[in-house]
Amino acid sequence: MEFDFPRSVVPLVAIATVALTSVMTTSTVFMMVLPSMIAFSVIAFFFGMKHGEYRTSL
């Protein structure tokens, strides 16, 4: 199975949002936590993709 960006980020964001809204207020999750989770997901996906490209070139 190939992982592209939407298949990698959507489950992470959905599960974390549901889990965090049970602990924090919804406005806090959507205004503070969700943008930082998306930014981290973009950075982690980029580094993971580059590392995978490096490993396949060996």
Side-chain angles (χ1 to χ4, degrees), residues 3-19:
F3 289 104
D4 55 353
F5 187 69
R7 285 185 191 160
S8 302
V9 173
V10 170
L12 170 72
V13 170
I15 292 170
T17 302
V18 170

Side-chain angles (χ1 to χ4, degrees), residues 4-41:
D4 55 353
F5 187 69
R7 285 185 191 160
S8 302
V9 173
V10 170
L12 170 72
V13 170
I15 292 170
T17 302
V18 170
L20 287 174
T21 53
S22 65
V23 179
M24 298 182 205
T25 61
T26 307
S27 63
T28 303
V29 171
F30 286 121
M31 290 174 50
M32 294 181 170
V33 179
L34 194 60
S36 63
M37 278 192 334
I38 292 172
F40 175 75
S41 298

